[in-house]
Amino acid sequence: MTTVRTPDPPVATEAAARVRRRDRPAGRRRRNQPEAFAFLTPWLLGAVALTVGPMVVSLYLSFTDYDLFTAPKWVGFGNFTHMFTDDDRYLQSVKVTLVYVLVSVPLKLTVSLLVAMLLNTRRGAGGFYRAAFYAPSLLGASVAAALVWRALFMGGGPVNEVLAFAGWHTPSWVDDPRFSLASIVLLGVWQFGAPMVIFLAGLKQIPAELHEAAAIDGAGAFRRFRHITLPMLSPVIFFNLVMEAIHAFQAFTPAFVIGGGRGGPADADLFYTLYLYEVGFQDFHMGYASAMAWVLLVVIAIVTAIVFRTAKLWVFYDDAEERR
């Protein structure tokens, strides 16, 4: 009697195929590990020598009194205690930096999103405008850009002349504690090209059918922006928010150049990184500067963690159901 073998169920066949595919790459990965580590060795050596090693040394120095010329003297948490209780300039640098972050980051993201939306609606000369708006970001935190900006906002500079012609008489922005930080904020906002390009890429990924359907249903431009553009663009907003917040906490060159290298008038431009530079490389209190650097690292990590933890409340993904 001949027996006829029935084929395996499709589900079982597919499951077995997945197991085989999973096992084969694992074996190949094990065989290729020596070669992979060989290619990674230069990067690993560089990471240990240039990143991990200096971080460990900096952490040790943060608990010492070290002036670059004598042996470090262990002081425990003395640097951190002095930082938060006896150093008024440190507290001023924290205040100035927080104001800069809280003002410049939302303004920069708002301007970059508005410009991206304008460029997204243009058909002709779009490439030219994208390049023109992105050009300031290529300068980055350059000394040349900060010097030009300082000249623009000095007493008798073009900005004051234009405002005076319009009937607004203002003092030299860079020499007045009331306006000096505002000039640095404007410089940061002016360099909106990088987040603008990312916003523009996100806008082009939003299906036009969604806006067309909403318009047919009677939704106006604001409602379409509120209920379609922002939710669909929320992952891009999340990315730009994290990156720009980190960059704002680390701002140094504009404050150094515009503030004259000492924090500007009445320490109005005394950014955290600028004060860290003064303490470490001008006053040679390297242990105290290391403690400041680690506090900044912890603060940036906490702010980033908070943004990530709250992202589930306002960031929406297309595959949200699959993620659950």
Side-chain angles (χ1 to χ4, degrees):
M1 180 176 180
T2 304
T3 58
V4 178
R5 184 177 179 275
T6 58
D8 294 334
V11 175
T13 303
E14 179 61 26
R18 283 200 301 268
V19 171
R20 288 194 296 271
R21 287 196 298 269
R22 186 172 63 248
D23 290 341
R24 282 199 298 268
R28 291 172 186 162
R29 284 196 298 270
R30 285 193 294 270
R31 289 195 299 270
N32 294 335
Q33 280 181 355
E35 292 83 354
F37 281 113
F39 282 107
L40 286 173
T41 297
W43 180 88
L44 292 173
L45 292 176
V48 172
L50 302 177
T51 302
V52 178
M55 287 182 65
V56 174
V57 174
S58 173
L59 181 61
Y60 165 72
L61 292 178
S62 67
F63 296 99
T64 66
D65 181 10
Y66 180 51
D67 60 1
L68 291 178
F69 303 105
T70 59
K73 179 182 178 181
W74 185 264
V75 295
F77 288 95
N79 288 327
F80 298 94
T81 302
H82 176 72
M83 191 182 305
F84 294 107
T85 58
D86 299 327
D87 193 346
D88 293 335
R89 294 198 76 207
Y90 173 81
L91 298 179
Q92 172 67 11
S93 70
V94 172
K95 175 184 174 182
V96 171
T97 303
L98 288 178
V99 171
Y100 177 77
V101 172
L102 294 176
V103 175
S104 67
V105 173
L107 281 177
K108 188 173 185 178
L109 294 182
T110 301
V111 172
S112 59
L113 177 57
L114 291 176
V115 175
M117 293 179 65
L118 290 175
L119 293 178
N120 193 45
T121 59
R122 295 189 62 88
R123 294 296 179 264
F128 169 77
Y129 287 110
R130 284 196 299 270
F133 285 124
Y134 184 73
S137 293
L138 295 176
L139 301 175
S142 67
V143 175
L147 285 173
V148 171
W149 205 260
R150 177 180 173 85
L152 289 174
F153 285 88
M154 288 183 64
V159 172
N160 278 5
E161 293 295 331
V162 171
L163 292 177
F165 180 78
W168 300 334
H169 298 279
T170 58
S172 173
W173 288 52
V174 298
D175 297 320
D176 194 307
R178 299 172 299 171
F179 298 95
S180 56
L181 182 58
S183 64
I184 301 178
V185 170
L186 291 176
L187 175 57
V189 174
W190 175 67
Q191 296 174 325
F192 62 85
M196 178 209 69
V197 171
I198 298 174
F199 276 134
L200 184 59
L203 289 170
K204 291 186 178 299
Q205 298 301 316
I206 301 177
E209 295 81 4
L210 295 178
H211 288 280
E212 294 172 358
I216 293 174
D217 290 340
F222 178 78
R223 292 189 62 185
R224 295 198 301 272
F225 173 77
R226 170 69 177 82
H227 296 286
I228 297 177
T229 303
L230 283 182
M232 296 291 290
L233 207 61
S234 57
V236 180
I237 297 174
F238 169 73
F239 175 81
N240 278 336
L241 175 61
V242 172
M243 298 304 297
E244 294 303 325
I246 294 175
H247 291 161
F249 274 111
Q250 297 175 332
F252 170 77
T253 303
F256 181 82
V257 175
I258 296 176
R262 299 296 298 180
D267 286 340
D269 302 332
L270 188 63
F271 280 41
Y272 194 99
T273 52
L274 177 58
Y275 186 50
L276 190 155
Y277 169 80
E278 289 185 10
V279 170
F281 295 97
Q282 293 182 1
D283 301 333
F284 298 108
H285 297 313
M286 193 58 66
Y288 192 58
S290 299
M292 290 181 59
W294 276 95
V295 170
L296 178 61
L297 174 64
V298 171
V299 169
I300 292 177
I302 292 175
V303 171
T304 304
I306 291 174
V307 175
F308 269 88
R309 292 289 295 178
T310 58
K312 60 183 179 181
L313 302 177
W314 58 276
V315 179
F316 306 96
Y317 296 95
D318 292 339
D319 57 346
E321 294 297 329
E322 299 179 6
R323 290 169 178 257
R324 296 175 185 174

